Amino acid sequence: MAQLAHTAGIQVVGQTQQRFDAISPSTYIGQGKVEQLSALVEQLRLDMFIFDDELSPTQQRNLEQELQVKVIDRTVLILDIFALHARTREGALQVELAQYEYRLPRLTRAWTHLARQAGGSAGRGGAGGVGLRGPGETQLETDRRTIGRRIAQLRRELEQVRQHRSQYRRRRKRKGLPVVSLVGYTNAGKSTLLNALTDADVLATDRLFATLDPITRRLALPSGRTVLLTDTVGFIQKLPTQLVAAFRATLEEISDSELLLHVVDVTHPNVREQVRTVEQLLTDMGLARKLLLVALNKVDLLQEPGNAREIARQYPNAVAVSALRRWGLQELVNSIESLLAKDMIQLEVRIPYAQIELLALFHEHGVVRHEAHDAAGVKVLGMLPRELAHRFEAYHLTR
């Protein structure tokens, strides 16, 4: 929470917690805790309290009345950070949709003053009568309809984005370009690793959720095979459901990947908890059986960097790296190629000169072990992604 607040430009001056058997429907926390927080407002000259869970509209309203300062919850904080970092049209659409879906059930708070203005006396309108609810309800319903229409429009625009991405992925699949998606807890160093592997110029900063939009770059493997490396939005504990829904198009990029590269900040004090969070989110997304490679990043910050290999043995398919120092990158690239090779098949074909573009396709997406030219064409022996094999069926050589 402190990292999230820092990313949003908020200075954290303290934290407190409470254990209870049941959440209070009116204030989330117990009355004694409310009084304790109220005393801290003057003592620490606080402007705001941030709750590390989602508050209901009623809880938020009651807490602000009791504490006389702004009260926000985890969801608002994360949405605010996403709004700060949305740099593309798609990112802005996704964040706006998530914000409106969060705010829609909370509109009542904004219009309580209208209900009070309308309800003056207990005359003919009476308590709860027409006089009490008229202008406030009319304005509230107007506002709800306006936001409802905007949500519908945003969903339509994002569906177009989703369909465009889907068409792009189909074209990419026909070309046989495998996709390796960088996943991991936010601020694990995914963008820095993408830059180091592909000489990209992607923003890499010590802030949570610096990357919202998928960024894809080509990566040449030692064999000459080309893959697409995609940087994706970071994961975090208790990721708001509104964001998961809004970022559906982005997250589908991960589901279409041949390999997931899980980037882990091995120096973080809660590293195991972060790894479990990512693994659980991948399971929730139905991706637990995807081919997975773990990059244990930031080993240069360990007190004993030499222990990195020992740490790597604690994780299956793990490589110790420092994206910043470019340590271990060759071993990581070799591991990527080795894992992707499991989805390749061996072919021996003779490609006619009239179909010479297939030779270029083989070189770009496969591994050529032997090549010979004769009068009939080019004889090629090598490995090719399974999904491209049908392109060469007419040219197979029989032994």
Side-chain angles (χ1 to χ4, degrees), residues 221-225 332-342 367:
L221 299 179
S223 64
R225 188 185 183 192
L332 181 65
V333 171
N334 291 341
S335 297
I336 291 173
E337 181 157 65
S338 176
L339 286 171
L340 288 176
K342 294 180 179 181
V367 179

Side-chain angles (χ1 to χ4, degrees), residues 164-181 214-218 225-232 249-259 290 361 364-365 385 387-388 390-391:
H164 175 75
R165 281 194 181 281
S166 181
Q167 290 170 0
Y168 170 71
R169 286 195 298 270
R170 283 196 295 270
R171 287 198 303 270
R172 194 171 62 195
K173 215 167 188 64
R174 283 199 298 270
K175 291 182 178 179
L177 287 173
V179 178
V180 178
S181 284
I215 299 167
T216 303
R217 296 291 183 270
R218 286 175 176 256
R225 188 185 183 192
T226 300
V227 300
L228 296 178
L229 199 61
T230 298
D231 191 9
T232 60
T250 300
L251 295 173
E252 282 178 352
E253 289 287 314
I254 302 174
S255 65
D256 272 4
S257 304
E258 279 72 23
L259 172 66
K290 279 278 183 185
L361 184 73
E364 185 177 6
H365 305 297
E387 64 268 18
L388 285 181
H390 70 280
R391 302 279 297 273

Side-chain angles (χ1 to χ4, degrees), residues 89 92-93 96-97 100 143-157:
R89 173 66 176 156
L93 287 172
E96 188 180 354
L97 175 61
Y100 275 134
D143 212 49
R144 279 182 175 152
R145 282 195 298 273
T146 301
I147 290 183
R149 284 195 296 269
R150 181 61 180 154
I151 286 175
Q153 180 185 345
L154 289 167
R155 285 177 176 163
R156 285 194 297 270
E157 292 185 46

Side-chain angles (χ1 to χ4, degrees), residues 337-365:
E337 181 157 65
S338 176
L339 286 171
L340 288 176
K342 294 180 179 181
D343 195 42
M344 298 181 78
I345 60 174
Q346 181 168 298
L347 286 181
E348 189 175 14
V349 296
R350 178 179 279 108
I351 301 170
Y353 291 115
Q355 302 291 330
I356 202 66
E357 72 276 1
L358 290 177
L359 180 62
L361 184 73
F362 207 125
H363 273 280
E364 185 177 6
H365 305 297

